Amino acid sequence: MAKRIGTRTLQLDAVVTGSAAVGGKTEAEGPLGSRLDAVYPAADAGEKSWEKAESAMHADALTRAIAKAGCTPQQVELHFGGDLLDQCIGTTFAARPLGIPLAGVYGACSTMALTLALAALAVDAGAAQTAAASTSSHFCAAEKQFRMPLEYGGQRTPTAQWTSTAAGAAVLQKAGRGAHLRALCFGRICDYGVKDAANMGAAMAPAACDTIAAFLRDTNTQPDAYDMILTGDLGAVGSRLLLELAEKEAGLTLAPVHRDCGLLLYDRAAQPKVGAGGSGCGCSAAVVCAEILPKLAAGALGRVLFVGTGALLSGVSSLQNETIPAIAHAVLLEKE
Amino acid sequence: MAKRIGTRTLQLDAVVTGSAAVGGKTEAEGPLGSRLDAVYPAADAGEKSWEKAESAMHADALTRAIAKAGCTPQQVELHFGGDLLDQCIGTTFAARPLGIPLAGVYGACSTMALTLALAALAVDAGAAQTAAASTSSHFCAAEKQFRMPLEYGGQRTPTAQWTSTAAGAAVLQKAGRGAHLRALCFGRICDYGVKDAANMGAAMAPAACDTIAAFLRDTNTQPDAYDMILTGDLGAVGSRLLLELAEKEAGLTLAPVHRDCGLLLYDRAAQPKVGAGGSGCGCSAAVVCAEILPKLAAGALGRVLFVGTGALLSGVSSLQNETIPAIAHAVLLEKE
């Protein structure tokens, strides 16, 4: 039974008994490339469209996570999944052949944290013995949908981030071996008026700050209580802003423990095309499912506060001159 | 604590302490028009775009439901919301000013059932004392996004349905006065190969049949145990198919108790433009939040199995010649 502490944090317990991540060529060439369960060198992954490629990678990550948890799809009682594509077709078409009850979610790039949180809640509440959490993104599909046709060859600004071509999935159960998800904090929308869709890090930093501050306050802990406070995809610009905001607005010094999935997945010096770092649902999914959860399961990491960050804009909202609402969901991941 | 019965059904308990729905002109002219909490006669609802109009209506329904539950937004600890617009901006921009922790969901037109199910799960599990569930749709915004520019004036086929301009919201709490949500069944994807985006009813009927059959089997009940088995938006075509499928595939005679929100919200004889009936997230949201939940709260209805139906296509998936995956989530609503 979940226990509410403070204003927004929930304590509960679920075990991540399996996780898997797959990625594209650029992700494979990054520092975590060797951690990926599978690599898709071609952008189309052998499919007829980028959207179908994303679905195929999503299905692959999900199927691998289920197998690594020692389960069959029939044993998974509930699946929380979502992605960036319009109407979440990356998830829908990946889930179609599996026959697992599906609760679709939308949290933009915060989706991995949101699906982990909801799956843990379902498992902890007895709503499912076994629940899955998954997400994906694809550079080409996202560029086409949110920005410009790739063929246009538009210049990218220095603040722009690189949507990861990747998918990640995890399986949560009440008992078993693996990292524990022991607390969570759902985010609320923060909008500081940023309108530049090529500067998502700046739009999302206030949401990350809000959720981190709430979680630390609710749990009465300081940043040094964590091996890592890991944001989803703030990139270089957003990460710098987060550190400043946390210091100024909440009196928190995050620098010693703060890491960002968007900066871990790529080597910006060796891979300059990624700009300010990685982004997209698949970015934090790949880092968490391929690197963080296995390290927690092996005891190489002790305690990670994973804060998925999402920019809740759409192509239409940007064209209508709207600002970018952002959100950040946090899950506390601990070793056994 | 949720109790799993059979293969897919969960028993739990949450009280719907408040609900509200708002609609547009066509909805106000329908048989349930007088039940709406507010009517927006202009398609733009005084906003600068149809999308902003949908957000405004969504926010209005949500705010009214919270007030009718006797709460302030600050007391709502978790909000499950979603809609049909790309990246769910109908929900995001509605939720932005409220500061309520938001778990975004995507279930296409099944969203009202999905958000009710998740909110009940959260309340029952102690994750939130008070949780909100909401959704919306807008005829003009949906036509523009999924089909043709309205200015094009395309002919509609006889199977086509009318996306409702409406929003609905409900507030769930552990105790209080109102209808009870006592069981739920998450849907799984069914795809019978329908490709016609102007015949969503046909695409969704198999999913409705699958979930209804699972729920009745799990609970060991027959259709006559319910005052109503209420599907979301199958319309005239999908409803006929559901009755046939249920008879043939599950040996269930649903006709005496089956109703469909898409057929209840409009008078097809007096409002021929609605074609085969209503659809869209707002359709079942309006019927359930304005008519069903209040009638259950007043004891005028006893037991309603509400089965939200969703077609998980996108404009892109249709253009890529994909079939339409569908899903149906069920919640059991009972009088006090």
Side-chain angles (χ1 to χ4, degrees):
Chain A
M1 188 88 176
K3 187 184 158 205
R4 219 176 160 86
I5 56 168
T7 54
R8 283 169 56 191
T9 300
L10 289 169
Q11 285 180 329
L12 41 65
D13 190 33
V15 188
V16 184
T17 53
S19 72
V22 305
K25 185 166 175 288
T26 308
E27 292 65 34
E29 289 166 355
L32 302 181
S34 66
R35 310 286 305 161
L36 296 171
D37 292 83
V39 172
Y40 289 75
D44 67 3
E47 300 288 333
K48 284 191 172 173
S49 71
W50 295 324
E51 291 79 9
K52 288 179 200 275
E54 180 176 335
S55 276
M57 291 174 69
H58 193 134
D60 191 10
L62 181 56
T63 310
R64 285 173 188 270
I66 293 169
K68 285 167 87 173
C71 297
T72 62
Q74 291 71 39
Q75 289 173 295
V76 182
E77 295 178 332
L78 189 51
H79 170 206
F80 292 93
D83 60 89
L84 280 173
L85 296 178
D86 297 345
Q87 287 72 54
C88 298
I89 55 169
T91 304
T92 304
F93 288 92
R96 183 168 57 175
L98 296 178
I100 303 170
L102 171 70
V105 310
Y106 185 74
C109 306
S110 73
T111 301
M112 194 68 229
L114 181 55
T115 56
L116 282 171
L118 291 170
L121 192 56
V123 165
D124 183 76
Q129 289 287 320
T130 303
S134 70
T135 190
S136 58
S137 58
H138 192 295
F139 175 77
C140 305
E143 285 296 307
K144 163 185 160 187
Q145 178 179 285
F146 285 107
R147 296 177 192 94
M148 291 288 180
L150 281 188
E151 296 80 355
Y152 176 73
Q155 288 283 341
R156 298 166 66 81
T157 66
T159 55
Q161 295 176 236
W162 184 268
T163 303
S164 303
T165 299
V171 170
L172 287 82
Q173 297 181 286
K174 190 71 202 157
R177 305 300 307 269
H180 283 248
L181 196 162
R182 290 219 169 92
L184 58 89
C185 181
F186 289 107
R188 48 186 194 177
I189 293 177
C190 295
D191 189 333
Y192 274 32
V194 175
K195 285 189 180 180
D196 182 1
N199 192 359
M200 305 281 218
M204 297 188 292
C209 183
D210 180 70
T211 298
I212 293 168
F215 188 87
L216 297 182
R217 193 176 58 238
D218 286 349
T219 54
N220 197 22
T221 54
Q222 290 297 317
D224 61 10
Y226 304 86
D227 292 332
M228 210 185 270
I229 293 181
L230 178 68
T231 48
D233 55 348
L234 296 181
V237 177
S239 290
R240 201 175 61 238
L241 287 171
L242 169 64
L243 299 186
E244 279 178 31
L245 271 173
E247 196 81 52
K248 218 191 287 191
E249 300 206 345
L252 295 168
T253 302
L254 298 183
V257 294
H258 176 254
R259 299 290 180 278
D260 184 71
C261 298
L263 297 175
L264 294 175
L265 190 58
Y266 304 106
D267 179 340
R268 290 172 64 225
Q271 301 175 290
K273 72 173 181 182
V274 303
S279 72
C281 298
C283 175
S284 62
V287 172
V288 168
C289 295
E291 170 77 356
I292 304 298
L293 288 167
K295 276 200 171 162
L296 287 162
L301 272 171
R303 205 174 192 213
V304 174
L305 183 63
F306 166 44
V307 187
T309 41
L312 302 170
L313 80 170
S314 80
V316 168
S317 73
S318 289
L319 288 173
Q320 293 183 359
N321 203 29
E322 260 296 355
T323 55
I324 303 174
I327 200 160
H329 302 290
V331 289
L332 176 64
L333 302 169
E334 297 185 336
K335 67 178 178 186
E336 287 191 75
Chain B
M1 189 87 176
K3 188 185 157 203
R4 219 177 161 87
I5 56 167
T7 53
R8 285 169 55 192
T9 300
L10 289 169
Q11 284 180 327
L12 41 66
D13 190 32
V15 189
V16 185
T17 53
S19 72
V22 304
K25 185 167 174 285
T26 308
E27 291 66 35
E29 290 167 355
L32 302 181
S34 66
R35 309 287 304 161
L36 296 171
D37 292 83
V39 172
Y40 288 75
D44 67 3
E47 301 288 331
K48 284 190 171 174
S49 71
W50 295 324
E51 291 79 10
K52 288 179 200 276
E54 179 176 335
S55 276
M57 293 174 68
H58 193 133
D60 190 11
L62 181 56
T63 311
R64 286 173 188 269
I66 294 170
K68 286 168 88 174
C71 298
T72 62
Q74 292 71 39
Q75 290 173 295
V76 182
E77 295 177 333
L78 190 50
H79 171 204
F80 293 93
D83 61 89
L84 279 174
L85 295 178
D86 297 345
Q87 288 71 54
C88 299
I89 55 170
T91 304
T92 304
F93 288 92
R96 183 168 58 173
L98 296 178
I100 303 170
L102 171 69
V105 310
Y106 184 74
C109 305
S110 73
T111 301
M112 194 68 229
L114 180 56
T115 57
L116 283 171
L118 291 170
L121 191 57
V123 165
D124 182 76
Q129 289 288 319
T130 304
S134 70
T135 190
S136 59
S137 57
H138 191 295
F139 175 77
C140 304
E143 285 296 307
K144 164 186 160 186
Q145 179 179 284
F146 286 108
R147 295 175 192 94
M148 292 287 181
L150 281 188
E151 296 80 355
Y152 177 74
Q155 287 283 341
R156 298 167 66 80
T157 66
T159 56
Q161 294 175 237
W162 185 267
T163 303
S164 303
T165 299
V171 170
L172 287 83
Q173 298 181 286
K174 191 70 202 159
R177 306 299 307 268
H180 284 248
L181 196 162
R182 291 218 168 94
L184 58 88
C185 181
F186 290 107
R188 48 185 195 178
I189 293 177
C190 296
D191 189 333
Y192 274 32
V194 175
K195 285 189 180 180
D196 181 1
N199 192 0
M200 306 281 217
M204 297 187 293
C209 183
D210 180 69
T211 298
I212 292 168
F215 188 88
L216 297 182
R217 191 176 59 236
D218 287 349
T219 54
N220 197 22
T221 53
Q222 290 296 317
D224 62 9
Y226 304 87
D227 292 332
M228 209 186 271
I229 293 180
L230 178 68
T231 48
D233 55 349
L234 297 182
V237 177
S239 291
R240 202 176 60 237
L241 287 171
L242 169 64
L243 299 187
E244 280 177 31
L245 271 173
E247 196 80 52
K248 217 191 287 191
E249 300 206 344
L252 295 168
T253 303
L254 298 183
V257 294
H258 176 255
R259 299 291 180 277
D260 183 71
C261 297
L263 297 175
L264 293 175
L265 191 58
Y266 305 105
D267 179 340
R268 290 172 64 224
Q271 302 176 290
K273 72 172 179 181
V274 305
S279 72
C281 298
C283 176
S284 62
V287 172
V288 168
C289 295
E291 170 77 355
I292 304 297
L293 288 167
K295 277 201 172 163
L296 287 162
L301 271 171
R303 205 174 192 212
V304 174
L305 182 64
F306 166 44
V307 186
T309 40
L312 302 170
L313 80 170
S314 81
V316 167
S317 73
S318 289
L319 288 174
Q320 293 183 358
N321 203 28
E322 261 294 356
T323 55
I324 303 174
I327 201 161
H329 302 290
V331 289
L332 176 63
L333 303 169
E334 296 185 336
K335 69 178 176 185
E336 286 191 71

